[in-house]
């Protein structure tokens, strides 16, 4: 999240190759409501079942618009002239974007956020959602954090999420969710909904991924900030997730695991259904 010291160019060159293609099939839920017997009448609902031809069950996220913001971008390190440009996030001026962090052995945050986002988009689309990502690949530059917020706003998203992993000290570990604060600005009307979304995300990630609550920030993995452009400028319910600390060995092992990333994507998709119910 924070602007971090530039990594050595040689290491970043390796990081640029770190994007993993998304594998893993997703089985769409095929639930259908059983025809219930009518209590008291003594008649089973057989005639109704015959009268009404079976239709495909409605998908859980049909009609919903979800914007996923994969933090940073794999090409950011090549264009400091672009990403260091200052933008207005209402409470302060900040860099347009940052390179993000990486594990000690060179798995970049940008590659991580891209991989989780692709997995999540696939799960959400299988449930009928319209999904937009704020970037199209992990080889480009930006967009600026202001633009990342604008994409969610323009889509009139039912919810948006910005996916990150942190770069804290090596003994810090665990995940946390960041929600917006009121700033006398455009995010104010969606602060309460964002808090509800954040709680659903926190609960699902705790339950389904085995990543503990962060031991170095927030309270029970919940944090509220007014310095993030992606939140301050959002007019739709939005949260950030810092999925773990890439500089901690235990967290890094999880973040580098494709099956763990799939668990995270599934937890997030489930939390969106909980929130949107
Ligand atoms: Zn980040």
């Amino acid at each position: 999240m924070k602007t971090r010291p530039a990594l050595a160019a040689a290491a970043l060159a390796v990081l640029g190759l770190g994007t993993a293609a998304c594998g893993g099939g997703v089985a769409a839920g095929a639930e259908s409501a059983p025809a219930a017997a009518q209590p008291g009448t003594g008649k089973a609902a057989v005639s109704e079942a015959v009268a009404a031809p079976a239709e495909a069950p409605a998908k859980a996220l049909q009609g919903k618009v979800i914007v996923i913001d994969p933090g940073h971008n794999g090409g950011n390190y090549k264009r400091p002239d672009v990403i260091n440009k200052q933008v207005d996030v209402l409470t302060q001026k900040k860099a347009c974007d940052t390179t993000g962090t990486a594990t000690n052995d060179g798995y970049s945050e940008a590659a991580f956020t891209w991989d989780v986002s692709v997995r999540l988009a696939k799960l959400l689309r299988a449930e009928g959602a319209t999904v937009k990502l704020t970037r199209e690949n992990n080889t480009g530059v930006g967009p600026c954090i202001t633009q990342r917020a604008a994409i969610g706003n323009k889509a009139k998203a039912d919810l948006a999420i910005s996916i990150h992993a942190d770069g804290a000290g090596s003994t810090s570990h665990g995940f946390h969710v960041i929600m917006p604060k009121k700033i006398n600005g455009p995010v104010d009307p969606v602060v309460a909904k964002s808090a509800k979304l954040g709680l659903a995300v926190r609960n699902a990630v705790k339950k389904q991924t085995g990543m503990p609550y962060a031991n170095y920030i927030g309270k029970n993995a919940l944090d509220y900030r007014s310095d993030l452009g992606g939140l301050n400028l959002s007019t739709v319910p939005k949260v950030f997730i810092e999925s773990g600390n890439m500089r901690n060995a235990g967290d890094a092992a999880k973040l580098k695991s494709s099956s763990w990333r799939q668990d995270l994507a599934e937890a997030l998709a489930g939390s969106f259904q909980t929130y949107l119910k």
Side-chain angles (χ1 to χ4, degrees):
M1 284 304 316
K2 295 164 197 159
T3 305
R4 306 183 204 294
L7 297 171
L12 282 163
V14 174
L15 302 185
L17 302 173
T19 311
C22 174
V26 179
E31 297 150 32
S32 57
Q38 295 175 348
T41 64
K43 294 179 193 169
V46 173
S47 59
E48 288 168 39
V50 172
E55 287 176 24
K59 291 180 175 177
L61 297 172
Q62 199 76 49
K64 302 298 184 186
V65 178
I66 295 173
V67 168
I68 305 171
D69 175 36
H72 315 281
N73 201 332
N76 278 2
Y77 72 95
K78 296 176 187 167
R79 294 299 305 273
D81 58 317
V82 174
I83 67 165
N84 289 338
K85 203 181 79 176
Q86 295 290 295
V87 296
D88 186 357
V89 304
L90 305 180
T91 52
Q92 60 186 281
K93 303 267 183 173
K94 284 187 107 166
C96 153
D97 207 6
T98 53
T99 59
T101 187
T103 62
N104 290 337
D105 57 357
Y107 181 53
S108 75
E109 182 187 353
F112 167 81
T113 67
W114 177 248
D115 180 86
V116 172
S117 297
V118 170
R119 291 172 187 276
L120 177 57
K122 188 173 178 180
L123 292 166
L124 298 173
R125 285 176 179 138
E127 287 297 343
T130 298
V131 180
K132 287 188 167 66
L133 273 65
T134 58
R135 55 181 170 100
E136 294 176 351
N137 53 52
N138 192 40
T139 55
V141 178
C144 290
I145 52 179
T146 46
Q147 182 61 20
R148 290 171 189 261
I151 290 168
N153 297 349
K154 191 181 171 198
K156 295 188 164 48
D158 291 286
L159 70 89
I161 187 164
S162 192
I163 297 176
H164 289 259
D166 216 348
S170 64
T171 58
S172 299
H173 66 81
F175 81 96
H176 68 285
V177 180
I178 307 169
M179 290 152 286
K181 283 177 162 175
K182 287 191 177 178
I183 55 165
N184 257 327
V187 76
D188 290 12
V190 294
V191 161
K193 283 184 175 175
S194 300
K196 183 186 166 199
L197 172 62
L199 203 60
V201 168
R202 192 279 309 266
N203 291 346
V205 171
K206 174 72 159 60
K207 189 176 175 188
Q208 287 178 247
T209 72
M211 186 70 84
Y213 290 163
N215 68 349
Y216 63 100
I217 194 167
K219 188 177 178 190
N220 295 330
L222 301 175
D223 194 22
Y224 303 84
R225 287 172 61 173
S226 58
D227 63 316
L228 300 176
L231 295 181
N232 287 353
L233 296 163
S234 184
T235 58
V236 300
K238 185 171 181 184
V239 300
F240 277 47
I241 180 162
E242 293 284 356
S243 311
N245 175 20
M246 299 197 93
R247 299 293 185 181
N248 172 266
D251 285 8
K254 291 186 174 75
L255 298 166
K256 289 192 292 180
S257 155
S258 57
S259 68
W260 189 87
R261 294 194 298 271
Q262 186 66 23
D263 287 347
L264 176 61
E266 288 175 7
L268 294 174
S271 75
F272 297 168
Q273 289 192 34
T274 302
Y275 166 75
L276 291 168
K277 247 178 217 163

